[in-house]
Amino acid sequence: MTRKPILTVFNMGEGQTAPDAQGKLDHASVSLMGKLEMEIAQLSAEDASVFMEEYGIKELSLNRMINLSYDLLQVQTFFTVGEDEVRAWTTKRGATAAESAAEIHTDLQRGFVRAEVVAYEDLISLGSMNEAKAKGKFRLEGKEYLVKDGDIMHVRSSL
């Protein structure tokens, strides 16, 4: 009927067991307890972890649904960081740096010179962009660089 990706969401009540969808559906599915998770989301982190453990919830379903949706759509996220703003951008998996630059603005793709790239994990573990540069984790990449999920990228353009 359709070629669009499908994700089935089962919203369960407390005490209900999730239907056994393994092998019965030809697409991804997720079961969640929407009302309970809404209440958990309003708790402090400490209280939320107690409730999640009590109900056997390893990860809130919002995160699972986002990850499944990204998988279905074959997209990933990269970031741009400025003095006063951090932005997340979505691009197709396997996109080049120039193609990803077009997600920000098409002029950046047309005038693409290079991308300054650092991996998210490296930036977080090292604590700053200066430290990432000092440790050699900050790279200059060309048009054909394949952007990875979580890359932090600054695009240099001639326009």
Side-chain angles (χ1 to χ4, degrees), residues 66-106:
I66 290 170
N67 289 331
L68 282 170
S69 297
Y70 269 51
D71 288 344
L72 286 172
L73 298 172
Q74 293 294 300
V75 294
Q76 62 186 8
T77 302
F78 72 96
F79 300 93
T80 55
V81 177
E83 300 238 351
D84 61 343
E85 178 182 62
V86 173
R87 294 258 337 240
W89 304 89
T90 303
T91 190
K92 291 283 185 192
R93 288 187 184 159
T96 64
E99 291 167 338
S100 296
E103 299 295 335
I104 301 168
H105 197 286
T106 55

Side-chain angles (χ1 to χ4, degrees), residues 37 49 51-61 63-64:
E37 289 196 27
S49 96
F51 273 93
M52 287 173 66
E53 187 175 318
E54 183 177 323
Y55 283 94
I57 300 171
K58 292 178 177 47
E59 175 186 30
L60 292 178
S61 26
N63 294 337
R64 285 186 305 177

Side-chain angles (χ1 to χ4, degrees), residues 4-158:
K4 293 182 180 180
I6 299 171
L7 172 63
T8 300
V9 179
F10 297 102
N11 188 8
M12 313 303 297
E14 270 186 69
Q16 285 184 305
T17 57
D20 181 19
Q22 289 287 23
K24 296 178 183 171
L25 296 176
D26 62 349
H27 58 273
S29 67
V30 63
S31 298
L32 58 95
M33 291 184 273
K35 185 172 189 278
L36 175 65
E37 289 196 27
M38 179 186 70
E39 292 169 358
I40 289 173
Q42 296 173 359
L43 298 173
S44 70
E46 186 177 304
D47 290 342
S49 96
V50 169
F51 273 93
M52 287 173 66
E53 187 175 318
E54 183 177 323
Y55 283 94
I57 300 171
K58 292 178 177 47
E59 175 186 30
L60 292 178
S61 26
L62 176 61
N63 294 337
R64 285 186 305 177
M65 286 178 37
I66 290 170
N67 289 331
L68 282 170
S69 297
Y70 269 51
D71 288 344
L72 286 172
L73 298 172
Q74 293 294 300
V75 294
Q76 62 186 8
T77 302
F78 72 96
F79 300 93
T80 55
V81 177
E83 300 238 351
D84 61 343
E85 178 182 62
V86 173
R87 294 258 337 240
W89 304 89
T90 303
T91 190
K92 291 283 185 192
R93 288 187 184 159
T96 64
E99 291 167 338
S100 296
E103 299 295 335
I104 301 168
H105 197 286
T106 55
D107 285 349
L108 290 177
Q109 182 180 25
R110 282 189 309 126
F112 187 93
V113 174
R114 70 173 182 256
E116 299 168 349
V117 181
V118 64
Y120 172 82
E121 294 82 17
D122 291 336
L123 182 62
I124 295 302
S125 68
L126 296 171
S128 73
M129 197 64 82
N130 287 336
E131 194 63 27
K133 288 176 184 178
K135 299 288 185 192
K137 299 296 183 177
F138 184 84
R139 307 177 315 278
L140 298 178
E141 299 289 355
K143 289 181 181 182
E144 298 305 313
Y145 169 72
L146 297 180
V147 175
K148 294 174 187 59
D149 190 41
D151 275 351
I152 297 165
M153 191 164 74
H154 181 79
V155 178
R156 296 288 182 184
S157 174
S158 63

